Amino acid sequence: MSIHEDVEALRRIPMFAKVEPARLKLMAFAAERANFAAGESMFHQGDVSDSAYIILEGRADVLVNTPVGQLKVAEVGRDSIVGDIGILCDVPRTATITAAEALCTLRITKDLFFRMVMDFPTIGIEVMRVLAQRLDATTERLRDAVAANQTKH
């Protein structure tokens, strides 16, 4: 892929959609490519959060540890970002991400991400919007799971 294609991929990510192309070009240039084979983990729950990944090609499973083993809570694919919560909140990885098929990604370091947020405050607003949407979806799934569990008892 070319820098132009990487910029277009970044533009498809909601939190970067309103960023001017010149800044996205700098981001794409500073990001690094990372490829993962099917079955390979990008990172594990509990790891230090040092970067986020934009999925350019492929699919991955989002897995969380439970008392009875790993639970698949989501599947992500092209034009998704993973690992952003850890770098934003400065917490260990909240999930394990494993390639369901071969993955091509752009790795954005914590420093690069925060430099972009500082230089372009709209990214910060979009990050808050995306995180709020994720929290809402998670809360709804939790509500549904609790309701389903209560009907069993």
Side-chain angles (χ1 to χ4, degrees):
M1 281 186 131
S2 68
I3 288 287
H4 175 73
E5 290 170 315
D6 290 349
V7 167
E8 288 307 308
L10 288 169
R11 287 180 70 110
R12 290 189 299 267
I13 304 298
M15 68 181 75
F16 302 133
K18 296 177 183 171
V19 177
E20 57 195 59
R23 289 186 191 267
L24 289 179
K25 190 180 245 184
L26 287 172
M27 188 175 198
F29 186 75
E32 57 190 62
R33 293 252 171 193
N35 295 305
F36 300 89
E40 186 178 359
S41 292
M42 296 171 68
F43 51 79
H44 295 89
Q45 184 173 336
D47 287 353
V48 172
S49 298
D50 61 350
S51 57
Y53 295 83
I54 307 290
I55 298 176
L56 302 173
E57 295 174 15
R59 290 179 304 107
D61 295 329
V62 180
L63 309 164
V64 295
N65 297 334
T66 73
V68 294
Q70 284 192 323
L71 174 67
K72 178 179 171 180
V73 295
E75 182 177 287
V76 291
R78 184 173 186 227
D79 301 334
S80 297
I81 184 169
V82 295
D84 50 326
I85 291 174
I87 62 174
L88 288 167
C89 301
D90 203 24
V91 297
R93 300 288 190 189
T94 58
T96 296
I97 308 294
T98 301
E101 60 189 42
L103 285 176
C104 178
T105 69
L106 270 182
R107 181 177 177 268
I108 301 169
T109 65
K110 182 187 263 188
D111 290 341
L112 174 59
F113 190 86
F114 277 107
R115 217 170 36 243
M116 291 297 295
V117 170
M118 298 287 282
D119 291 347
F120 203 82
T122 303
I123 292 176
I125 293 166
E126 292 303 316
V127 166
M128 287 188 291
R129 187 182 331 272
V130 168
L131 291 178
Q133 289 169 344
R134 286 186 193 165
L135 178 59
D136 183 54
T138 300
T139 301
E140 186 174 328
R141 284 195 305 270
L142 180 59
R143 208 177 310 121
D144 292 347
V146 168
N149 191 37
Q150 287 176 344
T151 59
K152 288 180 184 177
H153 298 283

